[in-house]
Amino acid sequence: VTSLLAPNPGVLDNVSTFIGQGSAGDLQSVLTEADGLYYTVDSVPNAIGAVSAVQMEFVLPAPPTPYQALGLHIVAHAPAGVTNMVHLYNNITGKWDAVKVSPMKGSDSTIRFTVTNASKYVDANNTVQVLERAIAPQRLGGKPFTLSVDSGALFGYLRSQ
C-alpha cells in the first residue's frame, strides 16, 4: 500500500464460534504463526448450504491519527468446493461487510488482503471484528464440513506525513 507507514500489528484478543457446532481449540490455537494447531468448527445446515464461521477480535494500538488501511492475514482450511468469505464488522452500518471471497482447496489456504477504508471497521476502542466464514453451497451438495483456522493477524496502517 503506497503512502502508508509501516504496519502496526493488532493483538488477537478473542476467537469464538459465530456459526457452527462442536468447536475445538482456543485463542492460543490461532495466536501464533501457522503451526498446525487449529480452532475448528463443524458446519451446520442452512438454506444456502452448510455454513461455518469463526469470529476473531483484534485490538490495534492507539494511533496518533486514524488508521487508513487494514491488512489481514488468515491461514485456514476447509474441503475443496467450499467458498471462503472474510467479513469485517462495519461500525457505521452495524452490519458485516464481505471483503474477500476465495475458494478453499482442501489444505491450508493463506488469505491476505488490504482494505483502504479502515475507519468504518475500527471502533472507538481500536477494535476490529473479523468473521472467517465458509459455505458449502447447496447447489454443490451442501455437504457438512469442518472449518479450521490456524492463524490470524491484523495490521493497521497510518498515512505517511
Side-chain angles (χ1 to χ4, degrees):
V1 177
T2 59
S3 75
L4 296 177
L5 297 174
N8 292 302
V11 174
L12 181 58
D13 190 50
N14 190 32
V15 62
S16 60
T17 299
F18 190 82
I19 300 172
Q21 60 188 9
S23 64
D26 57 17
L27 182 62
Q28 294 303 314
S29 303
V30 183
L31 273 177
T32 59
E33 294 293 319
D35 58 5
L37 298 175
Y38 298 93
Y39 185 91
T40 62
V41 179
D42 294 332
S43 65
V44 293
N46 185 294
I48 60 173
V51 181
S52 182
V54 173
Q55 183 174 350
M56 294 174 274
E57 181 179 288
F58 293 90
V59 179
L60 290 165
T65 60
Y67 286 105
Q68 299 298 309
L70 298 172
L72 191 62
H73 176 194
I74 298 172
V75 176
H77 81 256
V82 170
T83 301
N84 179 70
M85 302 177 74
V86 179
H87 300 257
L88 295 176
Y89 186 75
N90 184 323
N91 294 291
I92 296 169
T93 65
K95 297 181 188 271
W96 292 95
D97 291 347
V99 293
K100 179 74 174 178
V101 177
S102 58
M104 296 304 261
K105 57 186 180 183
S107 59
D108 280 358
S109 297
T110 301
I111 302 126
R112 287 183 194 198
F113 63 94
T114 302
V115 293
T116 56
N117 48 356
S119 62
K120 62 185 175 182
Y121 302 119
V122 181
D123 72 13
N125 297 314
N126 296 313
T127 301
V128 178
Q129 302 284 336
V130 177
L131 192 62
E132 168 68 15
R133 183 175 179 214
I135 301 169
Q138 195 69 276
R139 63 181 170 73
L140 298 177
K143 293 181 181 172
F145 66 92
T146 299
L147 170 63
S148 302
V149 179
D150 193 352
S151 66
L154 179 93
F155 303 93
Y157 294 89
L158 301 172
R159 188 165 309 284
S160 60
Q161 301 300 322

